[in-house]
Amino acid sequence: MDPRDRNAVVTGAAGGIGAAVAEELLARGARVALADLPGERLDATRERLAATYGERVIAVPGDASSRADLEALLAAGREAHGPVDLFVANAGVPGTPELGGSDEEWQRALDVNVLAHVRAAQLVVPAWLERGEGYFVSTASAAGLLTQIGSATYSVSKHAAVAFAEWLAVTYGTRGVKVSCLCPMGVDTDMLNLGRSSDDVVERTMAQAVTDAGDVLSPAQVAEVLLDAVAQERFLVLPHPQVHRMVQGKAADHDRWIAGMQRYAASLGVS
Ligand SMILES: NC(=O)c1ccc[n+]([C@@H]2O[C@H](COP(=O)([O-])OP(=O)(O)OC[C@H]3O[C@@H](n4cnc5c(N)ncnc54)[C@H](O)[C@@H]3O)[C@@H](O)[C@H]2O)c1
């Protein structure tokens, strides 16, 4: 899909990958509703982007995992710009260390990292099927194809996000609903950097497992790769090309892959 003159919504757009994707969408001619939890970070990003793009950008505070907030977000986008053409489900929460602690921590990871995508799709896909077009972007992670050393909540919720994106593409792709699934390794954002500077040794190790495995890309680099893939309507978006080889290695011999990951986890001191 060419984003020119299209209406986009980006969740988790107050900073990091989401803000960069919003900026790249605006640069390519889209109108964008920035969605994130209420706060100064969202206001500052809207002000910065509005200085260049004016009324083509609005900000709508809310919780991306709440059905009521998603309905309000889509209504605000519709009022300002018209019905949404492209929904970028990007908001995410970092993993809780090890087995993931409480039921509440598991529920939050599942709510934000995957059920937010499900609820958004339930709200946008029926209209897209009627119109015969629409575009859903899921920000998952390389952890959704491989695993996240140190965090079960992140690994499981991101695998579920990949599975949901695949299901959407398989079920509706031939009826005009296109899907891309973004699976980066390290990106230079608050999420990664808070892990890198955490007091918790497992959180630091989780971040190190990501940064040792490949380059840390800038959010702008990731946004450009993503929107090139959207232009070509490609499903799997791997800003770190080595993830493709890692996934092939996993598929070729699962036991060998697990043994290799065990050695990697042991070398980082988390097994
Ligand atoms: N940074 C990385 O290395 C990396 C790698 C792979 C995938 N990702 C994924 O990229 C996405 C963006 O993360 P980022 O790296 O830009 O980090 P980030 O912390 O800068 O951005 C995440 C954003 O999501 C928002 N958010 C969290 N919960 C929310 C909720 N309930 N409702 C609305 N907004 C909410 C946060 O406020 C924040 O602005 C996430 O889904 C993350 O899991 C990041």
Side-chain angles (χ1 to χ4, degrees), residues 11-19 35-38 41-42 61-66 69 89-95 108 111-113 116-117 138-143 148 154 158 182-194 210-211 216-217 219 240:
T11 70
I17 296 170
D36 208 302
L37 298 171
R41 197 169 174 243
L42 177 61
D63 180 342
S65 68
S66 148
D69 287 6
N90 168 80
V93 287
R108 182 157 173 267
D111 269 332
V112 181
N113 290 352
H117 302 198
S138 159
T139 302
S141 167
Q148 172 62 59
Y154 200 74
K158 292 297 187 180
L182 174 64
C183 294
M185 290 202 297
V187 188
D188 186 11
T189 68
D190 283 4
M191 188 180 288
L192 184 63
N193 294 328
L194 289 171
V210 173
T211 56
V216 175
L217 302 181
H240 299 79

Side-chain angles (χ1 to χ4, degrees), residues 8-34:
V9 169
V10 183
T11 70
I17 296 170
V21 169
E23 188 160 5
E24 188 68 26
L25 280 165
L26 288 160
R28 295 186 188 211
R31 293 173 285 271
V32 180
L34 310 169

Side-chain angles (χ1 to χ4, degrees), residues 15-239:
I17 296 170
V21 169
E23 188 160 5
E24 188 68 26
L25 280 165
L26 288 160
R28 295 186 188 211
R31 293 173 285 271
V32 180
L34 310 169
D36 208 302
L37 298 171
E40 279 175 21
R41 197 169 174 243
L42 177 61
D43 298 339
T45 298
R46 190 205 64 81
E47 269 173 42
R48 180 174 66 77
L49 295 176
T52 306
Y53 297 105
E55 290 180 357
R56 280 169 52 205
V57 58
I58 61 165
V60 188
D63 180 342
S65 68
S66 148
R67 195 180 301 276
D69 287 6
L70 284 167
E71 280 169 355
L73 165 62
L74 292 166
R78 199 162 44 240
E79 191 174 328
H81 299 143
V84 64
D85 300 300
L86 194 152
F87 192 100
V88 184
N90 168 80
V93 287
T96 314
E98 312 221 32
L99 278 170
S102 63
D103 285 355
E104 287 72 26
E105 285 167 314
W106 267 100
Q107 194 57 57
R108 182 157 173 267
L110 294 171
D111 269 332
V112 181
N113 290 352
V114 61
L115 291 174
H117 302 198
V118 176
R119 291 169 188 142
Q122 286 172 337
L123 292 172
V124 297
V125 168
W128 290 349
L129 290 174
E130 268 180 35
R131 259 198 273 159
E133 66 165 6
Y135 210 112
F136 196 90
V137 174
S138 159
T139 302
S141 167
L145 299 168
L146 300 161
T147 198
Q148 172 62 59
I149 285 179
S151 176
T153 59
Y154 200 74
S155 298
V156 170
S157 60
K158 292 297 187 180
H159 270 74
V162 172
F164 182 66
E166 288 173 347
W167 184 89
L168 275 182
V170 167
T171 308
Y172 301 122
T174 55
R175 293 163 65 190
V177 177
K178 302 299 173 188
V179 183
S180 291
C181 184
L182 174 64
C183 294
M185 290 202 297
V187 188
D188 186 11
T189 68
D190 283 4
M191 188 180 288
L192 184 63
N193 294 328
L194 289 171
R196 277 164 137 176
S197 58
S198 170
D199 292 336
D200 183 298
V201 66
V202 182
E203 285 182 358
R204 277 203 310 279
T205 308
M206 278 155 51
Q208 193 193 340
V210 173
T211 56
D212 283 4
D215 291 342
V216 175
L217 302 181
S218 71
Q221 285 174 303
V222 172
E224 192 180 348
V225 172
L226 172 64
L227 288 181
D228 287 349
V230 168
Q232 295 161 15
E233 302 188 346
R234 274 192 289 113
F235 178 79
L236 190 59
V237 188
L238 301 176

